[in-house]
C-alpha cells in the first residue's frame, strides 16, 4: 500500500503544476533550437512589415511642361506643378488600426504553430518515459530470467532438473531478450525524433516514472481560464475586429478624395503661379464595398461562435476521457501495490513448491499487470498533454 499512497499523493498536485515535471527542460530546448519555428518567426516578421505597407499617403506628383511656340515670335511656355492627393483623412487612421490588428493576429499564427509543435514534443516525451519505464521493467525481468536459466543449467548438470525445464527457462530468457531489444529500438527512434525537433542537437530524457497532476475539480471554471489563452479563438476574434475596422475604412473611402498642390506657368513676359485644389466625387469606384465588408464581419462572427462551441466540446471530451484514465491508472497501481506476489512466486519456485511452468504462468500475470499500469499512466499523461496544450 505504500506505493499506492505515494501515487495518490502525486495526483493531488495542482493541475497548473503540469509544467513542473521533467518535460519542461526538454520543451524549452526544442523551442529554442527548432528550425521550423525559427523559419516561421522570420516569415512572421516579414509579414508584419508587409502589413504596414500601403497605409501612407500616395506619392506626390511633379509635372513639368516645356512648350515652344509657333511662330517663334510667340516665345516658349514653361509649366511646373506639384500635387498631392489623399483620401478622406480618417481613412489613414483606420488603415493603421487594421495593420496593427493584422500584426497581432499573425503573432497568434506563430503561437498556434508553437503550441502544436510543443504538444507533439511533449507527446513524444511521454512515449519516451513509457519506453524508459519498460526498459527498466524488462531489465529486471531479464536479470531474473537469466538467473533462472543459469540455475536450471546447474540443476540439469546435477540431475535435479530435466531437459524440458531447462529448455523452458532458455525460451523464457530469449523471449524477454527479444522484447527488450524491440523496446530499446523504439526508444532510440523516439530520441531521434526529439533530436530532429531540437534542430539536430542531442537531447536526453532519462525519466522512467510518471508523476501526473490531478485534473481540475471543476471543468467549467478551468475552461473559463484557458479560453482566453487559445490562439485559434483569439485569431478568429481578431478577424472579427479587423472586419469591423475594414467597414469603417470603406465608409471613409466612400467619402470624397482630395488633391492639393502648387502650379506655375511662364510665357514670354508673363508668369502665373498659385495653388491647386481638386476633389473626386465618389460615385462608382467603391460600390458594394461597404456591403461586402459587413458581410465579412458577419461571417467572422458566425465562425467565432462555431469555433467556441467546437473548442469547448473538444476540451470537455478530453476532460472526461482523462478523468476515466486517471481512475484506471490509480486503480491499477493500487491493485499492483497490494497484490504483488513476484517475491512469493520466486520463493515457491526455489523451494520446489511449484514447477517452472507454473511459475512462468503466474509471473506472466504479474508482468502483464505492470505493463497495463504503465499503459494506463501513459494514456492519462497523453490526455492531459492534449487537454493542457493551450497552457504550453
Amino acid at each position: 500500500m505504500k506505493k499506492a499512497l505515494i501515487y495518490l499523493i502525486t495526483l493531488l498536485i495542482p493541475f497548473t503544476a503540469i509544467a513542473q515535471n521533467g518535460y519542461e527542460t526538454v520543451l524549452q530546448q526544442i523551442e529554442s533550437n527548432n528550425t521550423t519555428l525559427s523559419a516561421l518567426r522570420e516569415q512572421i516578421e516579414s509579414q508584419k512589415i508587409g502589413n504596414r505597407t500601403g497605409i501612407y499617403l500616395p506619392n506626390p506628383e511633379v509635372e513639368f511642361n516645356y512648350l515652344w511656340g509657333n511662330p517663334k515670335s510667340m516665345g516658349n511656355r514653361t509649366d511646373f506643378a506639384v500635387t498631392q492627393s489623399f483620401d478622406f483623412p480618417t481613412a489613414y487612421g483606420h488603415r493603421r488600426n487594421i495593420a496593427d490588428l493584422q500584426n497581432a493576429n499573425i503573432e497568434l499564427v506563430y503561437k498556434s504553430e508553437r503550441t502544436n509543435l510543443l504538444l507533439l514534443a511533449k507527446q513524444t516525451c511521454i512515449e519516451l518515459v513509457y519506453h524508459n519505464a519498460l526498459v527498466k521493467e524488462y531489465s529486471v525481468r531479464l536479470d531474473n530470467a537469466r538467473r533462472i536459466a543459469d540455475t536450471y543449467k546447474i540443476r540439469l548438470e546435477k540431475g535435479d532438473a530435466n531437459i524440458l525445464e531447462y529448455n523452458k527457462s532458455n525460451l523464457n530468457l530469449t523471449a524477454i531478450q527479444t522484447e527488450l531489444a524491440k523496446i530499446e529500438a523504439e526508444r532510440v527512434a523516439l530520441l531521434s525524433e526529439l533530436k530532429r525537433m531540437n534542430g539536430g542537437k542531442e537531447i536526453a530524457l532519462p525519466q522512467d516514472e510518471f508523476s501526473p497532476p490531478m485534473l481540475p475539480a471543476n471543468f467549467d471554471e478551468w475552461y473559463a481560464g484557458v479560453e482566453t489563452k487559445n490562439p485559434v479563438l483569439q485569431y478568429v476574434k481578431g478577424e472579427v475586429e479587423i472586419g469591423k475596422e475594414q467597414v469603417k475604412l470603406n465608409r471613409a473611402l466612400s467619402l470624397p478624395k482630395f488633391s492639393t498642390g502648387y502650379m506655375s506657368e511662364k510665357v514670354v513676359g508673363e508668369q502665373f503661379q498659385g495653388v491647386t485644389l481638386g476633389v473626386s466625387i465618389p460615385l462608382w469606384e467603391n460600390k458594394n464595398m461597404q456591403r461586402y465588408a459587413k458581410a465579412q464581419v458577419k461571417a467572422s462572427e458566425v465562425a467565432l461562435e462555431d469555433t467556441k462551441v467546437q473548442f469547448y466540446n473538444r476540451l470537455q471530451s478530453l476532460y472526461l476521457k482523462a478523468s476515466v484514465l486517471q481512475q484506471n491508472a490509480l486503480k491499477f497501481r493500487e491493485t499492483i501495490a497490494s497484490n504483488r506476489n513476484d517475491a512469493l512466486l520466486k520463493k515457491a519456485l526455489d523451494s520446489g513448491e511449484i514447477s517452472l511452468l507454473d511459475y512462468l504462468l503466474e509471473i506472466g500475470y504479474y508482468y502483464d499487470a505492470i505493463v497495463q499500469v504503465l499503459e494506463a499512466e501513459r494514456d492519462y499523461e497523453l490526455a492531459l498533454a492534449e487537454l493542457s496544450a493551450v497552457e504550453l
Side-chain angles (χ1 to χ4, degrees):
M1 292 298 294
K2 183 178 179 181
K3 288 188 176 180
L5 180 60
I6 294 174
Y7 181 73
L8 181 60
I9 290 173
T10 62
L11 289 179
L12 297 179
I13 302 173
F15 188 65
T16 53
I18 196 167
Q20 302 300 322
N21 55 33
Y23 312 135
E24 184 66 16
T25 301
V26 174
L27 297 184
Q28 288 175 352
Q29 291 182 53
I30 289 175
E31 183 176 2
S32 299
N33 300 325
N34 185 264
T35 53
T36 301
L37 283 183
S38 298
L40 181 59
R41 169 50 63 190
E42 293 300 322
Q43 293 174 6
I44 294 298
E45 295 303 321
S46 173
Q47 185 62 47
K48 283 184 175 181
I49 297 173
N51 288 338
R52 297 197 67 81
T53 60
I55 65 174
Y56 304 103
L57 291 171
N59 295 326
E61 294 184 10
V62 179
E63 182 180 357
F64 176 77
N65 301 315
Y66 182 79
L67 309 174
W68 50 90
N70 188 16
K72 291 185 178 180
S73 58
M74 294 178 59
N76 298 327
R77 171 181 160 184
T78 303
D79 296 339
F80 176 78
V82 179
T83 58
Q84 173 69 62
S85 59
F86 53 90
D87 294 314
F88 200 81
T90 56
Y92 298 99
H94 297 314
R95 286 195 177 105
R96 284 192 296 271
N97 292 341
I98 289 174
D100 291 339
L101 291 170
Q102 288 174 332
N103 284 349
N105 253 21
I106 201 71
E107 277 294 333
L108 293 172
V109 173
Y110 175 83
K111 185 177 180 181
S112 179
E113 291 299 320
R114 170 188 173 276
T115 298
N116 291 336
L117 173 71
L118 293 183
L119 173 59
L120 179 59
K122 189 170 186 179
Q123 290 169 334
T124 305
C125 287
I126 292 170
E127 290 289 351
L128 180 58
V129 171
Y130 169 70
H131 282 79
N132 286 344
L134 286 179
V135 168
K136 180 181 178 181
E137 175 63 26
Y138 272 85
S139 296
V140 173
R141 297 184 192 184
L142 182 61
D143 290 341
N144 185 46
R146 184 177 287 117
R147 189 176 58 80
I148 290 175
D150 291 342
T151 299
Y152 271 84
K153 180 180 180 181
I154 295 172
R155 290 181 61 181
L156 178 65
E157 293 172 350
K158 291 182 178 181
D160 293 337
N162 57 52
I163 190 64
L164 293 177
E165 290 178 317
Y166 175 66
N167 288 343
K168 288 175 188 175
S169 66
N170 278 329
L171 287 174
N172 178 58
L173 175 61
T174 301
I176 293 177
Q177 287 174 330
T178 301
E179 188 64 24
L180 180 57
K182 186 171 72 172
I183 295 170
E184 283 282 11
E186 184 62 28
R187 180 176 172 275
V188 170
L190 291 168
L191 283 170
S192 178
E193 179 64 11
L194 286 178
K195 179 180 177 181
R196 181 192 67 79
M197 294 184 193
N198 198 39
K201 298 180 180 180
E202 295 289 344
I203 199 164
L205 181 61
Q207 182 179 335
D208 57 19
E209 292 182 355
F210 291 113
S211 56
M214 183 178 135
L215 280 171
N218 186 290
F219 171 77
D220 288 324
E221 290 181 1
W222 172 78
Y223 176 81
V226 301
E227 181 183 17
T228 58
K229 300 177 182 179
N230 180 258
V232 177
L233 284 178
Q234 297 307 308
Y235 180 86
V236 179
K237 288 180 181 178
E239 289 296 300
V240 172
E241 294 304 316
I242 291 172
K244 291 179 178 179
E245 200 65 33
Q246 188 66 48
V247 171
K248 297 177 182 178
L249 174 60
N250 287 340
R251 186 180 297 122
L253 293 177
S254 67
L255 297 173
K257 297 181 180 180
F258 303 95
S259 64
T260 183
Y262 166 81
M263 182 174 180
S264 171
E265 180 182 313
K266 293 182 180 180
V267 294
V268 177
E270 297 179 333
Q271 178 178 358
F272 301 91
Q273 59 183 346
V275 297
T276 63
L277 295 173
V279 60
S280 67
I281 308 301
L283 294 179
W284 307 289
E285 183 179 358
N286 292 321
K287 187 177 181 180
N288 289 330
M289 290 297 294
Q290 189 76 346
R291 289 177 57 192
Y292 173 70
K294 289 181 178 179
Q296 287 290 96
V297 171
K298 185 176 180 180
S300 296
E301 289 174 341
V302 173
L304 175 60
E305 290 305 313
D306 176 66
T307 304
K308 283 183 178 180
V309 171
Q310 298 299 328
F311 182 62
Y312 178 87
N313 289 335
R314 177 174 169 274
L315 286 191
Q316 188 179 53
S317 176
L318 286 171
Y319 176 85
L320 295 175
K321 177 183 176 181
S323 180
V324 173
L325 292 172
Q326 177 187 16
Q327 295 303 318
N328 288 344
L330 178 58
K331 181 180 178 180
F332 275 137
R333 183 61 72 178
E334 287 177 339
T335 301
I336 290 294
S338 59
N339 295 284
R340 63 179 303 168
N341 57 4
D342 51 321
L344 293 175
L345 286 171
K346 182 63 179 65
K347 184 176 180 180
L349 177 65
D350 292 340
S351 64
E353 295 180 21
I354 60 175
S355 67
L356 177 60
L357 179 60
D358 290 336
Y359 172 80
L360 295 177
L361 182 63
E362 292 296 329
I363 200 67
Y365 293 140
Y366 171 73
Y367 287 162
D368 290 343
I370 290 293
V371 173
Q372 288 179 347
V373 168
L374 292 175
E375 288 178 350
E377 292 175 345
R378 176 201 61 187
D379 293 344
Y380 175 48
E381 285 254 15
L382 288 172
L384 281 180
E386 193 171 359
L387 186 64
S388 62
V390 293
E391 299 179 304
L392 289 174

